[in-house]
């Protein structure tokens, strides 16, 4: 990040610390899935519609009765042809704030939201999902990979514990680096946080740098601070029931392949 002043350049790229969160308790799993039961169906419906082929008038293909009127104006496009829709083919990464300020209801909401998102997206063709929390227990500039890209969902534990401050700058750069190593052409990073980063100045610089390589979105947990960092690409969750609409609105606009 070359635009930073010498004082602001004191940035430590987060170090991955291998810790294994426990599985989410069954009662929290049930609550998460119950509150977001419509999310999977909405995502599946959206993705199914995306996979349908577009149709357009053509000189070749299947005869289309609705196009026969074109014959009277010497327009040979009386057939209907199909054009394939590109696959989703997206690497999606969830970066979850587990700092001390997230203790209590915020971390409960965050881990349930994260579990619900992962559950809704597991098995969706073309989605390569990764999940990371920050900071790691006992480490300041660190992250904990919960679900690494390419690994099965069943290997992830979502019983996150809170600790430390909010080194979002360092975690953001690390997650961006991980996404850039994935083969998928679309790369989306969603940050879940309840407050401001340790260093808002360097964090804004990191966001500008990361945005050159990934599509960046935010979900605020019981707090609107994320709006200061990502004013045009973030939503706020006060209750788990808010997750479905907030996340769907993000994914609806990001997972649709660009033409």
């Amino acid at each position: 990040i070359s635009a930073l002043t010498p004082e602001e350049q004191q940035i430590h790229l987060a170090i991955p610390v291998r810790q294994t969160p426990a599985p989410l308790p069954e009662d929290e799993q049930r609550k998460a899935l119950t509150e977001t039961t419509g999310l999977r169906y909405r995502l599946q419906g959206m993705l199914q519609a995306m996979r349908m082929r577009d149709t357009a008038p053509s000189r070749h293909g299947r005869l289309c009765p609705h196009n026969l009127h074109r014959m009277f104006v010497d327009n040979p496009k009386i057939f209907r042809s199909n054009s394939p829709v590109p696959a989703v083919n997206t690497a999606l990464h969830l970066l979850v704030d587990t700092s001390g300020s997230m203790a209590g209801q915020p971390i409960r909401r965050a881990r349930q939201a994260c579990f619900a998102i992962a559950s809704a997206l597991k098995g969706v063709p073309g989605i390569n999902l990764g999940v990371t929390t920050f900071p790691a227990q006992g480490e300041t500039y660190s992250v904990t990979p919960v679900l690494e890209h390419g690994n099965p969902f069943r290997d992830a534990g979502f019983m996150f514990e809170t600790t430390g401050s909010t080194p979002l700058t360092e975690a953001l750069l690390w997650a961006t680096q991980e996404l850039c190593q994935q083969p998928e052409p679309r790369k989306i990073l969603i940050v879940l946080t309840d407050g401001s980063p340790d260093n808002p100045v360097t964090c804004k610089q990191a966001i500008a740098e990361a945005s050159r390589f990934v599509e960046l979105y935010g979900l605020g947990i019981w707090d609107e601070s994320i709006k200061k960092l990502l004013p045009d690409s973030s939503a706020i969750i006060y209750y788990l029931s808010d997750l479905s609409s907030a996340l769907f609105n993000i994914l609806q606009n990001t997972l649709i392949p660009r033409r």
Side-chain angles (χ1 to χ4, degrees):
I1 304 179
S2 57
L4 298 180
T5 66
E7 292 77 14
E8 294 168 349
Q9 286 177 357
Q10 302 303 313
I11 296 177
H12 308 267
L13 184 66
I15 299 172
V17 177
R18 302 296 170 180
Q19 298 173 339
T20 306
L24 201 65
E26 290 188 8
D27 62 324
E28 289 198 36
Q29 290 188 30
R30 286 194 299 270
K31 181 175 179 58
L33 296 177
T34 299
E35 292 281 2
T36 59
T37 185
L39 181 60
R40 171 177 283 274
Y41 296 108
R42 294 176 73 184
L43 285 175
Q44 288 178 340
M46 178 186 73
L47 294 172
Q48 182 178 1
M50 287 163 48
R51 288 193 294 269
M52 294 177 63
R53 291 173 175 266
D54 289 343
T55 60
S58 172
R59 296 171 180 268
H60 309 282
R62 296 179 60 184
L63 182 66
C64 179
H66 297 293
N67 292 338
L68 291 178
H69 68 279
R70 295 169 181 265
M71 297 175 61
F72 299 100
V73 291
D74 295 325
N75 188 335
K77 294 184 178 181
I78 60 174
F79 301 93
R80 183 173 57 193
S81 65
N82 294 326
S83 58
V85 175
V88 175
N89 210 17
T90 298
L92 175 64
H93 201 98
L94 304 179
L95 183 62
V96 188
D97 177 4
T98 56
S99 61
S101 63
M102 288 280 288
Q105 284 298 325
I107 194 63
R108 183 181 178 90
R109 292 284 181 267
R111 66 194 183 209
Q112 290 175 351
C114 198
F115 176 82
I117 294 170
S119 298
L121 293 177
K122 73 174 181 180
V124 174
I127 298 292
N128 177 10
L129 180 64
V131 181
T132 300
T133 64
F134 71 98
Q137 292 285 335
E139 300 286 345
T140 301
Y141 304 113
S142 58
V143 295
T144 296
V146 174
L147 176 62
E148 298 187 57
H149 288 284
N151 287 355
F153 168 76
R154 64 175 180 273
D155 290 348
F158 291 90
M159 190 61 183
F160 310 145
E161 301 294 339
T162 57
T163 185
S165 58
T166 312
L168 180 55
T169 299
E170 294 77 12
L172 187 63
L173 294 176
W174 184 89
T176 299
Q177 178 178 270
E178 285 297 296
L179 272 173
C180 287
Q181 295 177 11
Q182 305 310 311
E184 290 77 13
R186 296 286 306 279
K187 304 179 194 300
I188 297 173
L189 178 58
I190 301 179
V191 179
L192 288 79
T193 182
D194 77 325
S196 300
D198 292 346
N199 190 331
V201 174
T202 57
C203 189
K204 288 180 180 180
Q205 294 285 353
I207 287 173
E209 184 74 6
S211 298
R212 295 172 52 200
F213 307 101
V214 305
E215 298 167 49
L216 190 57
Y217 300 89
L219 288 177
I221 308 296
W222 279 25
D223 189 276
E224 297 188 1
S225 297
I226 191 68
K227 289 288 187 181
K228 298 177 182 178
L229 298 173
L230 298 167
D232 301 322
S233 57
S234 59
I236 311 302
I237 298 174
Y238 292 101
Y239 303 98
L240 188 60
S241 56
D242 297 335
L243 175 64
S244 287
S245 59
L247 181 67
F248 185 79
N249 288 338
I250 290 176
L251 296 182
Q252 178 178 246
N253 295 323
T254 57
L255 293 184
I256 296 177
R258 293 173 175 171
R259 302 301 180 94

